[in-house]
Amino acid sequence: MTEAEDRAIDGIVARIFALGTRVATTAIVAGISCQVMLHAYRLGLDLSLIGVGLFILLPVIVVLTMSALYLRRGRSFLAAMSIGVLLIVCLGSLLSMVAAR
Amino acid sequence: MIWLMAMAFIASGVGGVLGMASGIFLVPLLTIAAGQPIHAAIGLSLISVICCSCASAPLYLKAGLTNIRLAVVLETATTAGAVAGVLCSGLLPTRVLYLLFAMVLLLSALQMAGKRTIAPTMARARGRLASTLDGSYRDEAGRQQSYQIARLPLGLSMMFGAGLLSALLGIGSGVLKIPAMDKALRLPIKVSSATSNFMIGVTAAAGATGYFLSGMIDLARAGPICLGSVAGSVAGAAALRAVHPGRLRGFFVLVLLLLAAAMLAIAFGGAPTLLASS
């Protein structure tokens, strides 16, 4: 892979982070505004939860995108590493759900 | 709500100026000042760490400082450590968590007081994998600087510990990541800061998902924490251009020592909280 291709992947990842942060922040601001100004607590809480959930998922979405990009460019080792990270996160989620019961 | 936002803003802003994650300041603030139980504070702090990482990642990526190929390899170790940390967190008594946190604060104060140096790369055979992760970046003068990755297995094992500590205490784990990046992998400081910032988001997400599914994250309080953290990290980055962090280090070494003393006091018998639960 050339340095230019690496820079292109960096650019895509940066755009996902920037867009995701903007959308999540907007959802939380809208949620808190609903709670404080409109006294619509249920709607406000739901909007805030969407924003918080997006923040938690954003790094996972980035790794998912990276795995797809590396697969498309034939970088099998880095694709395998990205998928490995996603599998560990999924395994951790499963174990946490089991432990919580 | 305002208090939570203010605390997240201060922790993230200070962390941004000093090149640290917000968790090291936010967990003590939430437990000591807001009277939150430590498990709730850790869950909220992980969310704050993710927000700071996401907000500042585009800047580092656009500057070409983040080595995402290296990050994704190291993340296999940090996320595995984070999963282990989430599973251990329910088993450890809260007193042990306070003690561990106090130790991390003390070590962070020592790290901050000392000068950060990179060990020179030894001229010896490196694995083929390590050489595929080498990279380059532009320095302040605009010159392209190449760097080589060294001692990857040692770096990976230290990163497992960093992930475990991150999920266990709700921090970015700079206390382990800095030695791993500087002394084991021998990365330039700018590259290690940017790559670490990228990694802490993924590691904290692995931890936060576990806490979320275990019902240990107070979602009503998470919204204000997110907003404060994003605003704080942006303000911290802006302040970094105006203020020389070296001048602030002495003051924040003292702050870290005071927070460590407060956490030790709680671990050994409890201390009154400053505010009622907000």
Side-chain angles (χ1 to χ4, degrees):
Chain A
M1 185 182 271
T2 64
E3 201 169 304
E5 280 179 311
D6 274 339
R7 293 274 176 265
I9 293 178
D10 283 0
I12 294 168
V13 169
R15 279 199 292 277
I16 296 170
F17 269 124
L19 180 68
T21 302
R22 248 176 253 154
V23 173
T25 307
T26 306
I28 295 170
V29 169
I32 291 177
S33 304
C34 278
Q35 285 176 304
V36 174
M37 289 192 246
L38 305 174
H39 302 291
Y41 294 106
R42 190 66 249 171
L43 174 68
L45 196 59
D46 286 345
L47 279 171
S48 290
L49 294 190
I50 290 170
V52 173
L54 186 56
F55 263 126
I56 296 177
L57 285 179
L58 193 51
V60 181
I61 293 168
V62 164
V63 177
L64 188 66
T65 310
M66 282 166 63
S67 65
L69 290 170
Y70 285 133
L71 267 178
R72 246 177 72 182
R73 285 165 165 79
R75 294 291 298 245
S76 49
F77 172 72
L78 291 172
M81 288 286 116
S82 318
I83 293 167
V85 171
L86 293 171
L87 286 176
I88 293 167
V89 173
C90 290
L91 179 71
S93 306
L94 267 174
L95 289 174
S96 301
M97 278 197 285
V98 171
R101 281 185 186 172
Chain B
M1 194 184 278
I2 300 287
W3 275 110
L4 288 171
M5 224 182 281
M7 283 178 195
F9 180 84
I10 292 167
S12 309
V14 170
V17 171
L18 298 173
M20 302 169 85
S22 55
I24 197 111
F25 296 106
L26 190 58
V27 173
L29 276 174
L30 287 172
T31 50
I32 298 164
Q36 291 285 306
I38 192 158
H39 281 107
I42 288 168
L44 291 173
S45 174
L46 282 173
I47 304 259
S48 168
V49 170
I50 296 171
C51 293
C52 293
S53 167
C54 291
S56 49
L59 298 172
Y60 291 123
L61 283 160
K62 281 175 188 161
L65 292 171
T66 311
N67 184 337
I68 59 172
R69 287 169 292 122
L70 173 65
V72 83
V73 172
L74 297 177
E75 275 162 10
T76 54
T78 57
T79 48
V83 169
V86 172
L87 295 174
C88 288
S89 71
L91 305 174
L92 291 178
T94 52
R95 182 176 289 236
V96 175
L97 291 178
Y98 278 110
L99 265 175
L100 265 175
F101 209 103
M103 279 167 58
V104 168
L105 283 164
L106 287 172
L107 286 173
S108 299
L110 278 175
Q111 266 181 0
M112 200 186 283
K115 193 169 164 25
R116 198 171 162 187
T117 53
I118 308 291
T121 305
M122 286 180 290
R124 64 175 194 180
R126 297 182 307 136
R128 217 185 70 188
L129 170 60
S131 59
T132 62
L133 302 173
D134 293 343
S136 63
Y137 70 103
R138 280 194 194 283
D139 63 12
E140 289 92 345
R143 287 182 303 247
Q144 197 74 16
Q145 300 281 358
S146 298
Y147 57 88
Q148 294 187 326
I149 307 298
R151 301 201 290 186
L152 190 60
L154 177 63
L156 277 167
S157 52
M158 290 173 87
M159 286 297 171
F160 178 85
L164 190 136
L165 214 56
S166 168
L168 206 55
L169 302 178
I171 57 175
S173 286
V175 73
L176 268 179
K177 275 187 182 146
I178 289 173
M181 296 268 194
D182 293 358
K183 302 285 188 270
L185 300 167
R186 289 154 194 201
L187 290 174
I189 287 175
K190 282 191 164 191
V191 176
S192 83
S193 299
T195 307
S196 171
N197 173 76
F198 179 83
M199 285 169 53
I200 59 173
V202 181
T203 311
T209 310
Y211 275 91
F212 174 76
L213 292 169
S214 309
M216 285 197 275
I217 291 183
D218 184 345
L219 291 167
R221 289 191 165 94
I225 291 283
C226 286
L227 284 190
S229 302
V230 171
S233 66
V234 172
L240 189 58
R241 287 183 218 119
V243 183
H244 193 273
R247 291 180 194 149
L248 298 172
R249 283 187 187 273
F251 172 70
F252 283 108
V253 166
L254 194 65
V255 171
L256 286 172
L257 291 174
L258 286 172
L259 290 175
M263 294 301 253
L264 277 175
I266 297 174
F268 288 113
T273 54
L274 301 178
L275 295 172
S277 183
S278 53

